[in-house]
């Protein structure tokens, strides 16, 4: 059984094709979900990548590709056990990935000389023929490429339901590779082609790593949380900035929250995994709001999986306070930003000149929106601690 | 005949395969190069992209994809005429692309209802059945997808030589699409499969646009030109910066040139199409060197095809001159940067604090290298005019 990974796997003749809707209709309503496990063969050497690191360990935003695949599998809570099959020499690296990114339900098996032997070893680990093995025998096993990080739970579920109904052997639950051969082999048997989404593609070439990075960056840049204090003095400026951000970044969801009421607003944004914060500081207390936000972010461990962007914003009446004086007073933030970078929090400052002239103000606000977009879109750690001016 | 576009086009059974070396050996030495033209069908609507703009017109670094493909074809000087086949409604857009990016040897034909009809229309334009048509009938015609911007001259040449030797019809000189059908159809005839490079891939999905952008950004970030004056006072600092850049950016070629001797060094870099300039200003004449460089860049029109990054660098003895004072004195550059952005030149400033302490100095220089890398790698126009500090 094969999800048709559109784009990089085109059978010469289209095989049987069942849409997601048709599949769900074909599953009996209220039928029991089978116990499910997953095996991730990750013993490949990535020779087509043109890089030395095996592709499953290549970093995207400094996190290895396989961690993204594990994260996607973990999202399906009904996948009980996940076995990653790696070569002996990569065992240590894989263990530290599991620790560092706090992957749960994951155990390891050793790769064999071929992909098929590796899968077999993974299955053996699941049926528990090792003494002391705690894994329980599952009814359905998903074999999933370690280098397909973008499958969604819906497709996985279709695969599992189809497996349950059509009784494919565990061995054939293979995403993508050799799909043509499998499709042909099983054309008149019980094989079913499950429609995959275009997202279900495989990182094969070096350019695919760039594409994956762009997709991931885009996914975590869909929401910006605008943090304000609730004092009168900056409430107006905050509102103005919010309006401009909403207008200029029409594809991004702008949410605003107050730094008060026990910080419930902000806690909610963190809980909802928003990775972008624009924090408006009051004119007098230089860094109070940002400091509070940073503490909450650090306590939450939100930045374990993705870099969190924090833009600390200051509105400045440039006629009352010289810009250079303000810049000088914020220089110490550069050191703080260096420390935070080690915790995967990318802090920059943005000074917005707030002139009397309405047209000039709108220009500056628009410029601020462009700078915020650049910081969030590129997520470049090389620019942390900089004091930018709009 | 089909270059095997590795990755997105896999025949079920491998067809006949001739490597580049074998092909060149098979061509008679000293044999006359046939007259060659190219037809680019560009009438597609890009429905798989999930975007409204047809993919051949999607922007990469603000330039439409098809312009990159034309640029690659133009590099092969022996391709005499290029006919782009577009729908009537895109004719105007295509004309302005040709004007704006100064494409030569390019004319237009109108797309038909199918891809094959479009190609036919392109061929008709070449054989000159239109009154007033200046194109001369070629011996070999390359049909090339408008959305494959990364083919190189070598592969093109192989295709042409194979066409000349094996006498494939013009019609079959099609890169990539329907390759399986064509390979099967011609398996026992004169078809030849020319080995393509992995670069010869097709922009099909939205993620491919991101991948293409990354590849292009990487290609134009391979070289940095370090511009210095030859005065004693900054010669040492320039040398130190050069050493650090060479050490920290080991994958990038660092070239240095003096702003003197009629600026021959810099003219050479511009002529060699270097798109990255780090310009070291002397301590007293605030912006003199950068101004000279910018004038040369504007006169050269280098930035027509790609955005040119210019980092204007200042070394600053932070104990003698307060950082804020220097920042203040450079604020006017922000307005200049806005103007230059319209000409596709991305100007930023970088202040490097130059302390007595050797270890601290090395830290700052390393930080400078990281910032320069970030500016060149991301090439984000949203950050132009900023004054960055290392």
């Amino acid at each position: 059984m094969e999800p048709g990974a559109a784009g990089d796997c085109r059978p010469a003749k289209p095989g049987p094709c069942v849409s997601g809707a048709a599949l769900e209709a074909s599953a009996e309503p209220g039928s029991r979900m089978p116990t499910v496990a997953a095996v991730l063969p990750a013993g490949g050497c990535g020779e087509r990548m043109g890089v030395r690191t095996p592709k499953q360990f290549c970093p995207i935003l400094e996190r290895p590709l396989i961690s993204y695949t594990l994260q996607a599998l973990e999202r399906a809570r009904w996948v009980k056990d996940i076995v990653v099959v790696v070569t002996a020499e990569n065992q240590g690296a894989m263990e530290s990935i599991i620790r560092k990114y706090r992957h749960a339900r994951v155990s390891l098996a050793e790769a064999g000389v071929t992909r098929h032997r590796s899968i077999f070893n993974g299955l053996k680990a699941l049926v528990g023929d090792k003494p002391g093995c705690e894994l329980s025998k599952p009814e359905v096993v998903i074999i999933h490429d370690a280098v397909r990080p973008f499958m969604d739970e819906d497709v996985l579920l279709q695969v599992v339901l189809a497996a349950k109904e059509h009784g494919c052997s565990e061995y054939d639950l293979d995403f993508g590779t050799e799909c043509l051969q499998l499709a042909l082999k099983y054309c008149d048997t019980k094989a079913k082609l499950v429609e995959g989404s275009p997202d279900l593609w495989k990182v094969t070439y070096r350019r695919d790593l760039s594409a994956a990075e762009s997709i991931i960056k885009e996914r975590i840049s869909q929401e910006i949380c605008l943090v304000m204090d609730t004092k009168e003095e900056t409430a107006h400026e905050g509102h103005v900035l919010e309006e401009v951000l909403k207008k200029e970044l029409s594809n991004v969801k702008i949410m605003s929250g107050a730094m008060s009421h026990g910080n419930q607003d902000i806690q909610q944004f963190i809980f909802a995994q928003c990775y972008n914060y624009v924090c408006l500081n009051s004119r007098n207390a230089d860094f109070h709001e940002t400091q509070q936000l940073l503490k909450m972010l650090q306590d939450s461990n939100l930045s374990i999986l993705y870099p969190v962007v924090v833009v600390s914003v200051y509105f400045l009446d440039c006629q009352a306070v010289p810009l250079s004086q303000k810049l000088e007073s914020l220089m110490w933030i550069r050191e703080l930003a260096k420390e935070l970078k080690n915790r995967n929090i990318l802090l920059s400052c943005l000074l917005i000149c707030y002139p009397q002239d309405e047209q000039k103000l709108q220009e500056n606000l628009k410029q601020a929106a462009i700078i915020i977009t650049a910081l969030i879109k590129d997520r470049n750690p090389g620019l942390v601690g900089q004091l930018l001016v709009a």
Side-chain angles (χ1 to χ4, degrees), chain A residues 13 27 45-46 72 81 90 106 157 178 180 186 200 204 212 237 282 290 299-300 311 317 320 323 343 348 353 358:
Chain A
K13 297 167 193 169
C45 63
D81 303 310
N90 285 326
V106 179
L157 188 62
E178 299 117 36
L180 193 59
Y186 288 105
L200 194 61
T204 307
E237 290 156 2
S282 62
T290 305
D299 290 346
S300 73
V311 185
D317 180 345
L323 190 58
R343 300 202 55 168
S348 331
C353 298
E358 180 63 23

Side-chain angles (χ1 to χ4, degrees), chain A residues 204-340:
Chain A
T204 307
Y205 299 97
R206 235 180 117 200
R207 64 172 184 265
D208 297 328
L209 274 182
S210 308
E213 184 173 307
S214 298
I215 291 170
I216 290 164
K217 280 182 178 173
E218 204 179 299
R219 284 192 181 183
I220 58 177
S221 304
Q222 299 299 311
E223 292 176 343
I224 295 175
C225 166
L226 183 60
V227 182
M228 295 181 263
D229 68 356
T230 47
K231 290 168 202 151
E232 274 298 313
E233 54 155 335
T234 51
H236 173 68
E237 290 156 2
H239 179 70
V240 168
L241 182 61
E242 187 177 354
E243 287 310 303
V244 171
L245 286 177
K246 279 184 178 165
K247 193 177 148 207
E248 297 293 325
L249 318 179
S250 55
N251 293 323
V252 178
K253 189 176 163 192
I254 311 291
M255 308 170 295
S256 67
M259 190 61 89
S260 61
H261 311 298
N263 299 326
Q264 278 177 359
D265 284 3
I266 317 304
Q267 290 293 7
Q268 260 179 12
F269 294 135
I270 292 174
F271 187 75
Q273 298 180 329
C274 175
Y275 291 97
N276 312 292
Y277 295 83
V278 173
C279 187
L280 186 54
N281 298 276
S282 62
R283 281 179 198 254
N284 303 320
D286 251 2
F287 198 66
H288 182 65
E289 283 76 16
T290 305
Q291 215 131 23
Q292 263 187 288
L293 171 67
L294 290 170
K295 184 167 179 339
M296 287 166 76
L297 287 172
Q298 288 182 79
D299 290 346
S300 73
N301 289 321
L302 178 68
S303 58
I304 285 181
L305 294 183
Y306 301 102
V308 175
V309 171
V310 177
V311 185
S312 185
V313 172
Y314 300 87
F315 278 102
L316 196 67
D317 180 345
C318 292
Q319 290 194 313
V321 183
L323 190 58
S324 57
Q325 188 183 317
K326 187 73 184 174
L327 285 171
E328 190 90 56
S329 75
L330 291 171
M331 278 296 166
W332 65 274
I333 290 176
R334 294 172 61 218
E335 290 304 315
L336 174 65
K338 275 185 205 165
E339 281 169 42
L340 287 166

Side-chain angles (χ1 to χ4, degrees), chain A residues 59-97:
Chain A
I60 296 178
L61 295 177
E62 300 185 18
R63 177 154 67 103
L65 178 59
I66 193 168
S67 168
Y68 291 91
T69 311
L70 285 174
Q71 186 193 350
L73 266 178
E74 284 169 340
R75 228 176 277 138
R77 295 184 188 279
W78 41 267
V79 177
K80 217 180 147 197
D81 303 310
I82 303 167
V83 176
V84 179
V85 191
V86 284
T87 59
E89 65 181 345
N90 285 326
Q91 195 118 2
M94 195 60 225
E95 276 165 3
S96 73
I97 288 169

